[in-house]
């Protein structure tokens, strides 16, 4: 039952993004039990512009645990810096089917603080 709710939220979120996102790219989040991942994706071209995760060597070395709020904050800052370097300033936040709290919220807040607008 929980998986059905998750999939429903994910489909609804992505449908809303497609309706509203005219020429913006999206900041997509995926979280697992061990890591958190973020990508800035251009759906029109089908390409990933910037990405960051706690599975990367540089980020993993600076963290004690890859699946907590502190790790999500580091990933949010890293993906925002990489996106800004690639020339992306405005994105839509695609939380997938995840509820907007905890690690997902921490990643979003860190990306905003680092300069992304959404």
């Amino acid at each position: 039952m929980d998986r059905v709710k998750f999939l429903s939220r994910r489909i609804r979120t992505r449908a809303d993004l497609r309706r509203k996102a005219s020429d913006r790219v999206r900041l997509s989040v995926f979280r697992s039990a061990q890591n958190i991942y973020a990508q800035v994706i251009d759906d029109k071209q089908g390409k990933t512009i910037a990405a960051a995760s706690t599975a990367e060597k540089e980020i993993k070395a600076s963290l004690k645990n890859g699946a907590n709020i502190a790790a999500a904050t580091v990933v949010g800052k890293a993906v925002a810096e990489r996106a800004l370097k690639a020339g992306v300033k405005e994105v839509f936040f695609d939380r997938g089917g995840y509820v907007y709290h905890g690690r997902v919220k921490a990643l979003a807040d860190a990306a905003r603080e680092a300069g992304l607008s959404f």
Side-chain angles (χ1 to χ4, degrees):
M1 187 66 179
D2 289 337
R3 184 72 180 159
V4 173
K5 288 181 182 179
F6 174 82
L7 293 173
S8 297
R9 280 193 307 267
R10 185 174 71 185
I11 290 167
R12 183 175 60 240
T13 302
R14 296 233 170 107
D16 287 345
L17 287 177
R18 284 192 183 98
R19 264 196 311 273
K20 295 174 186 173
S22 54
D23 21 329
R24 286 193 196 178
V25 295
R26 67 183 163 106
L27 172 60
S28 181
V29 175
F30 173 76
R31 65 178 176 85
S32 69
Q34 289 85 23
N35 295 299
I36 189 158
Y37 306 82
Q39 296 183 57
V40 176
I41 304 166
D42 184 352
D43 288 318
K44 288 183 180 178
Q45 295 180 356
K47 293 186 178 181
T48 300
I49 298 168
S53 75
T54 54
E56 295 175 12
K57 285 184 181 179
E58 307 85 39
I59 295 177
K60 192 177 212 174
S62 67
L63 298 172
K64 190 174 184 180
N65 182 355
N68 58 16
I69 290 176
T73 303
V74 171
V75 171
K77 287 179 185 175
V79 76
E81 289 168 1
R82 293 173 188 177
L84 290 171
K85 192 174 181 180
V88 175
K89 293 179 182 159
E90 291 189 352
V91 297
F92 272 101
F93 187 67
D94 178 10
R95 62 183 175 84
Y98 305 110
V99 179
Y100 187 79
H101 71 94
R103 291 188 282 163
V104 176
K105 185 176 186 292
L107 189 144
D109 291 342
R112 278 192 193 104
E113 287 175 15
L116 282 183
S117 157
F118 56 93

